[in-house]
Short mmCIF file of all heavy atoms in Angstrom, two decimals:
data_model
loop_
_atom_site.label_atom_id
_atom_site.label_comp_id
_atom_site.label_asym_id
_atom_site.label_seq_id
_atom_site.Cartn_x
_atom_site.Cartn_y
_atom_site.Cartn_z
N ILE A 23 -113.12 27.15 8.19
CA ILE A 23 -113.04 28.60 8.17
C ILE A 23 -113.40 29.16 9.55
O ILE A 23 -112.71 30.03 10.08
CB ILE A 23 -113.94 29.18 7.06
CG1 ILE A 23 -113.39 28.76 5.69
CG2 ILE A 23 -114.05 30.69 7.18
CD1 ILE A 23 -114.22 29.22 4.51
N LEU A 24 -114.47 28.63 10.13
CA LEU A 24 -114.89 29.09 11.45
C LEU A 24 -113.81 28.84 12.50
O LEU A 24 -113.51 29.69 13.33
CB LEU A 24 -116.17 28.38 11.87
CG LEU A 24 -117.44 28.91 11.21
CD1 LEU A 24 -118.63 28.02 11.58
CD2 LEU A 24 -117.71 30.35 11.63
N ASP A 25 -113.22 27.67 12.41
CA ASP A 25 -112.19 27.29 13.38
C ASP A 25 -110.97 28.21 13.27
O ASP A 25 -110.44 28.69 14.28
CB ASP A 25 -111.79 25.83 13.13
CG ASP A 25 -110.66 25.40 14.04
OD1 ASP A 25 -110.80 25.57 15.27
OD2 ASP A 25 -109.63 24.92 13.54
N HIS A 26 -110.54 28.49 12.03
CA HIS A 26 -109.36 29.34 11.85
C HIS A 26 -109.65 30.79 12.19
O HIS A 26 -108.74 31.55 12.56
CB HIS A 26 -108.83 29.21 10.42
CG HIS A 26 -107.95 28.01 10.26
ND1 HIS A 26 -106.57 28.07 10.29
CD2 HIS A 26 -108.26 26.71 10.09
CE1 HIS A 26 -106.08 26.86 10.14
NE2 HIS A 26 -107.08 26.01 10.01
N ASN A 27 -110.92 31.19 12.06
CA ASN A 27 -111.27 32.56 12.46
C ASN A 27 -111.23 32.70 13.98
O ASN A 27 -110.77 33.70 14.52
CB ASN A 27 -112.67 32.90 11.93
CG ASN A 27 -113.10 34.29 12.38
OD1 ASN A 27 -112.35 35.25 12.23
ND2 ASN A 27 -114.28 34.39 12.96
N LYS A 28 -111.68 31.67 14.64
CA LYS A 28 -111.75 31.68 16.11
C LYS A 28 -110.36 31.55 16.73
O LYS A 28 -110.04 32.20 17.73
CB LYS A 28 -112.61 30.52 16.57
CG LYS A 28 -113.47 30.81 17.78
CD LYS A 28 -114.59 29.80 17.81
CE LYS A 28 -114.97 29.34 19.18
NZ LYS A 28 -115.83 28.15 19.11
N LYS A 29 -109.58 30.66 16.13
CA LYS A 29 -108.22 30.41 16.65
C LYS A 29 -107.21 30.55 15.52
O LYS A 29 -106.70 29.55 15.01
CB LYS A 29 -108.13 29.00 17.24
CG LYS A 29 -108.95 28.80 18.50
CD LYS A 29 -108.89 27.34 18.95
CE LYS A 29 -109.62 26.43 17.97
NZ LYS A 29 -109.68 25.02 18.35
N PRO A 30 -106.92 31.79 15.13
CA PRO A 30 -106.00 31.96 14.00
C PRO A 30 -104.62 31.37 14.32
O PRO A 30 -104.09 31.60 15.41
CB PRO A 30 -105.90 33.48 13.85
CG PRO A 30 -107.00 34.05 14.65
CD PRO A 30 -107.35 33.05 15.70
N ARG A 31 -104.07 30.62 13.34
CA ARG A 31 -102.73 30.05 13.51
C ARG A 31 -101.69 31.09 13.09
O ARG A 31 -101.95 31.87 12.18
CB ARG A 31 -102.57 28.79 12.67
CG ARG A 31 -103.75 27.84 12.65
CD ARG A 31 -104.16 27.36 14.04
NE ARG A 31 -105.00 26.16 13.94
CZ ARG A 31 -106.33 26.16 13.84
NH1 ARG A 31 -107.00 27.30 13.83
NH2 ARG A 31 -106.99 25.02 13.76
N ASN A 32 -100.56 31.04 13.76
CA ASN A 32 -99.46 31.96 13.43
C ASN A 32 -99.87 33.43 13.52
O ASN A 32 -99.39 34.26 12.74
CB ASN A 32 -98.88 31.64 12.04
CG ASN A 32 -98.37 30.22 11.96
OD1 ASN A 32 -97.54 29.80 12.76
ND2 ASN A 32 -98.88 29.44 11.01
N PHE A 33 -100.74 33.73 14.47
CA PHE A 33 -101.16 35.12 14.69
C PHE A 33 -100.11 35.78 15.57
O PHE A 33 -100.28 35.91 16.78
CB PHE A 33 -102.54 35.15 15.34
CG PHE A 33 -103.17 36.53 15.32
CD1 PHE A 33 -103.79 37.01 14.19
CD2 PHE A 33 -103.13 37.34 16.45
CE1 PHE A 33 -104.37 38.28 14.17
CE2 PHE A 33 -103.71 38.60 16.44
CZ PHE A 33 -104.33 39.06 15.30
N ARG A 34 -99.00 36.14 14.94
CA ARG A 34 -97.85 36.67 15.70
C ARG A 34 -96.84 37.23 14.71
O ARG A 34 -96.94 37.00 13.50
CB ARG A 34 -97.20 35.53 16.49
CG ARG A 34 -96.66 34.47 15.56
CD ARG A 34 -96.24 33.19 16.28
NE ARG A 34 -95.98 32.15 15.30
CZ ARG A 34 -94.83 32.02 14.62
NH1 ARG A 34 -93.84 32.84 14.85
NH2 ARG A 34 -94.67 31.07 13.73
N VAL A 35 -95.86 37.94 15.25
CA VAL A 35 -94.74 38.38 14.44
C VAL A 35 -93.57 37.46 14.77
O VAL A 35 -93.10 37.46 15.90
CB VAL A 35 -94.36 39.85 14.75
CG1 VAL A 35 -93.17 40.28 13.91
CG2 VAL A 35 -95.55 40.77 14.50
N PRO A 36 -93.11 36.65 13.82
CA PRO A 36 -92.00 35.75 14.11
C PRO A 36 -90.76 36.54 14.55
O PRO A 36 -90.50 37.63 14.02
CB PRO A 36 -91.74 35.05 12.77
CG PRO A 36 -92.98 35.21 11.99
CD PRO A 36 -93.60 36.50 12.45
N GLU A 37 -90.01 35.99 15.49
CA GLU A 37 -88.84 36.69 16.03
C GLU A 37 -87.83 37.08 14.95
O GLU A 37 -87.23 38.13 15.00
CB GLU A 37 -88.16 35.81 17.07
CG GLU A 37 -88.33 36.34 18.48
CD GLU A 37 -87.68 35.43 19.50
OE1 GLU A 37 -86.47 35.20 19.40
OE2 GLU A 37 -88.42 34.92 20.38
N GLY A 38 -87.67 36.18 13.98
CA GLY A 38 -86.66 36.44 12.94
C GLY A 38 -87.20 37.12 11.71
O GLY A 38 -86.55 37.12 10.66
N ALA A 39 -88.40 37.69 11.80
CA ALA A 39 -89.03 38.29 10.61
C ALA A 39 -88.14 39.38 10.01
O ALA A 39 -87.66 40.26 10.71
CB ALA A 39 -90.39 38.86 10.98
N ASN A 40 -87.92 39.30 8.69
CA ASN A 40 -87.11 40.31 8.01
C ASN A 40 -87.83 40.94 6.82
O ASN A 40 -87.27 41.73 6.10
CB ASN A 40 -85.75 39.72 7.60
CG ASN A 40 -85.89 38.43 6.81
OD1 ASN A 40 -86.98 38.09 6.36
ND2 ASN A 40 -84.81 37.71 6.66
N ARG A 41 -89.06 40.51 6.58
CA ARG A 41 -89.86 41.12 5.52
C ARG A 41 -91.27 41.32 6.06
O ARG A 41 -91.77 40.47 6.82
CB ARG A 41 -89.97 40.19 4.29
CG ARG A 41 -88.66 39.83 3.65
CD ARG A 41 -88.03 41.05 2.98
NE ARG A 41 -86.73 40.69 2.44
CZ ARG A 41 -86.53 40.23 1.21
NH1 ARG A 41 -87.55 40.09 0.40
NH2 ARG A 41 -85.32 39.94 0.79
N GLU A 42 -91.90 42.40 5.64
CA GLU A 42 -93.28 42.59 6.04
C GLU A 42 -94.01 43.48 5.05
O GLU A 42 -93.39 44.22 4.29
CB GLU A 42 -93.39 43.17 7.45
CG GLU A 42 -92.77 44.54 7.58
CD GLU A 42 -92.98 45.12 8.97
OE1 GLU A 42 -93.18 44.36 9.92
OE2 GLU A 42 -92.96 46.36 9.08
N ALA A 43 -95.30 43.36 5.04
CA ALA A 43 -96.14 44.22 4.21
C ALA A 43 -97.50 44.33 4.89
O ALA A 43 -97.87 43.50 5.73
CB ALA A 43 -96.28 43.66 2.80
N VAL A 44 -98.21 45.38 4.52
CA VAL A 44 -99.52 45.64 5.10
C VAL A 44 -100.56 45.61 3.99
O VAL A 44 -100.30 46.12 2.89
CB VAL A 44 -99.52 47.02 5.80
CG1 VAL A 44 -100.91 47.37 6.33
CG2 VAL A 44 -98.50 47.05 6.92
N GLY A 45 -101.69 45.01 4.28
CA GLY A 45 -102.76 44.96 3.29
C GLY A 45 -104.05 45.53 3.84
O GLY A 45 -104.33 45.43 5.03
N HIS A 46 -104.83 46.12 2.95
CA HIS A 46 -106.08 46.76 3.37
C HIS A 46 -107.15 46.51 2.31
O HIS A 46 -106.91 46.72 1.13
CB HIS A 46 -105.83 48.27 3.56
CG HIS A 46 -107.03 49.00 4.06
ND1 HIS A 46 -107.23 50.34 3.81
CD2 HIS A 46 -108.09 48.59 4.78
CE1 HIS A 46 -108.38 50.72 4.36
NE2 HIS A 46 -108.92 49.67 4.96
N ASN A 47 -108.27 46.02 2.75
CA ASN A 47 -109.41 45.82 1.85
C ASN A 47 -110.52 46.76 2.26
O ASN A 47 -111.34 46.43 3.12
CB ASN A 47 -109.88 44.35 1.93
CG ASN A 47 -111.15 44.11 1.14
OD1 ASN A 47 -111.52 44.90 0.27
ND2 ASN A 47 -111.82 43.02 1.46
N PRO A 48 -110.55 47.96 1.69
CA PRO A 48 -111.50 48.99 2.14
C PRO A 48 -112.96 48.59 1.96
O PRO A 48 -113.83 49.06 2.69
CB PRO A 48 -111.17 50.22 1.28
CG PRO A 48 -110.16 49.80 0.28
CD PRO A 48 -109.70 48.42 0.57
N LEU A 49 -113.20 47.71 1.00
CA LEU A 49 -114.56 47.28 0.72
C LEU A 49 -115.22 46.63 1.93
O LEU A 49 -116.41 46.75 2.17
CB LEU A 49 -114.50 46.27 -0.44
CG LEU A 49 -115.69 46.22 -1.38
CD1 LEU A 49 -115.89 47.55 -2.07
CD2 LEU A 49 -115.47 45.13 -2.41
N CYS A 50 -114.39 45.90 2.70
CA CYS A 50 -114.93 45.14 3.84
C CYS A 50 -114.37 45.66 5.16
O CYS A 50 -114.95 45.45 6.21
CB CYS A 50 -114.57 43.67 3.64
SG CYS A 50 -115.07 42.59 4.97
N GLY A 51 -113.24 46.37 5.08
CA GLY A 51 -112.60 46.86 6.29
C GLY A 51 -111.52 45.93 6.84
O GLY A 51 -111.05 46.12 7.96
N ASP A 52 -111.13 44.94 6.05
CA ASP A 52 -110.09 44.00 6.50
C ASP A 52 -108.73 44.67 6.45
O ASP A 52 -108.39 45.33 5.47
CB ASP A 52 -110.03 42.77 5.58
CG ASP A 52 -111.39 42.14 5.35
OD1 ASP A 52 -112.11 41.97 6.35
OD2 ASP A 52 -111.71 41.83 4.20
N LYS A 53 -107.96 44.46 7.53
CA LYS A 53 -106.58 44.96 7.57
C LYS A 53 -105.69 43.83 8.04
O LYS A 53 -106.02 43.14 9.01
CB LYS A 53 -106.45 46.13 8.54
CG LYS A 53 -106.97 47.42 7.97
CD LYS A 53 -106.82 48.57 8.92
CE LYS A 53 -107.39 49.83 8.29
NZ LYS A 53 -107.79 50.83 9.27
N VAL A 54 -104.58 43.65 7.36
CA VAL A 54 -103.68 42.57 7.75
C VAL A 54 -102.24 43.02 7.54
O VAL A 54 -101.93 43.78 6.63
CB VAL A 54 -104.00 41.29 6.93
CG1 VAL A 54 -103.66 41.47 5.46
CG2 VAL A 54 -103.29 40.08 7.49
N SER A 55 -101.37 42.57 8.44
CA SER A 55 -99.94 42.72 8.18
C SER A 55 -99.35 41.32 8.18
O SER A 55 -99.73 40.47 9.00
CB SER A 55 -99.26 43.61 9.23
OG SER A 55 -99.32 43.01 10.51
N VAL A 56 -98.46 41.07 7.23
CA VAL A 56 -97.84 39.76 7.09
C VAL A 56 -96.34 39.92 7.34
O VAL A 56 -95.71 40.82 6.79
CB VAL A 56 -98.11 39.17 5.68
CG1 VAL A 56 -97.34 37.87 5.49
CG2 VAL A 56 -99.60 38.94 5.48
N HIS A 57 -95.82 39.05 8.18
CA HIS A 57 -94.42 39.12 8.58
C HIS A 57 -93.73 37.81 8.21
O HIS A 57 -94.20 36.74 8.58
CB HIS A 57 -94.31 39.36 10.09
CG HIS A 57 -95.11 40.55 10.53
ND1 HIS A 57 -94.57 41.80 10.66
CD2 HIS A 57 -96.44 40.68 10.81
CE1 HIS A 57 -95.53 42.66 11.03
NE2 HIS A 57 -96.66 42.00 11.13
N VAL A 58 -92.63 37.93 7.49
CA VAL A 58 -91.97 36.75 6.95
C VAL A 58 -90.51 36.71 7.37
O VAL A 58 -89.82 37.73 7.35
CB VAL A 58 -92.04 36.76 5.40
CG1 VAL A 58 -91.38 35.51 4.81
CG2 VAL A 58 -93.48 36.87 4.92
N GLN A 59 -90.07 35.53 7.74
CA GLN A 59 -88.64 35.31 7.91
C GLN A 59 -88.17 34.60 6.66
O GLN A 59 -88.44 33.42 6.46
CB GLN A 59 -88.35 34.47 9.15
CG GLN A 59 -86.86 34.26 9.36
CD GLN A 59 -86.56 33.32 10.52
OE1 GLN A 59 -87.44 33.01 11.32
NE2 GLN A 59 -85.33 32.87 10.61
N LEU A 60 -87.49 35.36 5.80
CA LEU A 60 -87.06 34.83 4.52
C LEU A 60 -85.57 34.53 4.60
O LEU A 60 -84.78 35.37 5.03
CB LEU A 60 -87.33 35.88 3.44
CG LEU A 60 -87.37 35.42 1.99
CD1 LEU A 60 -88.52 34.47 1.75
CD2 LEU A 60 -87.46 36.62 1.06
N SER A 61 -85.19 33.33 4.21
CA SER A 61 -83.79 32.95 4.28
C SER A 61 -83.45 32.08 3.08
O SER A 61 -84.09 31.05 2.86
CB SER A 61 -83.56 32.22 5.60
OG SER A 61 -82.33 31.57 5.61
N ASP A 62 -82.49 32.53 2.26
CA ASP A 62 -82.09 31.81 1.04
C ASP A 62 -83.30 31.48 0.16
O ASP A 62 -83.40 30.37 -0.36
CB ASP A 62 -81.35 30.52 1.40
CG ASP A 62 -79.97 30.80 2.00
OD1 ASP A 62 -79.37 31.83 1.64
OD2 ASP A 62 -79.51 29.99 2.83
N GLY A 63 -84.19 32.42 0.03
CA GLY A 63 -85.33 32.23 -0.86
C GLY A 63 -86.40 31.29 -0.33
O GLY A 63 -87.27 30.85 -1.07
N VAL A 64 -86.33 30.98 0.96
CA VAL A 64 -87.32 30.08 1.56
C VAL A 64 -88.04 30.82 2.69
O VAL A 64 -87.42 31.55 3.47
CB VAL A 64 -86.64 28.80 2.12
CG1 VAL A 64 -87.64 27.95 2.91
CG2 VAL A 64 -86.02 28.00 1.00
N VAL A 65 -89.36 30.63 2.74
CA VAL A 65 -90.15 31.19 3.83
C VAL A 65 -89.95 30.30 5.07
O VAL A 65 -90.62 29.30 5.24
CB VAL A 65 -91.65 31.27 3.44
CG1 VAL A 65 -92.50 31.74 4.62
CG2 VAL A 65 -91.85 32.19 2.25
#
Side-chain angles (χ1 to χ4, degrees):
I23 293 178
L24 283 174
D25 176 54
H26 277 262
N27 177 50
K28 216 160 143 193
K29 292 175 291 183
R31 318 303 198 270
N32 301 305
F33 193 80
R34 62 191 170 81
V35 179
E37 250 178 59
N40 52 13
R41 300 291 176 91
E42 62 176 24
V44 176
H46 183 207
N47 173 19
L49 211 61
C50 177
D52 310 314
K53 282 181 181 157
V54 67
S55 65
V56 174
H57 307 265
V58 181
Q59 181 185 348
L60 199 65
S61 167
D62 291 330
V64 173
V65 175

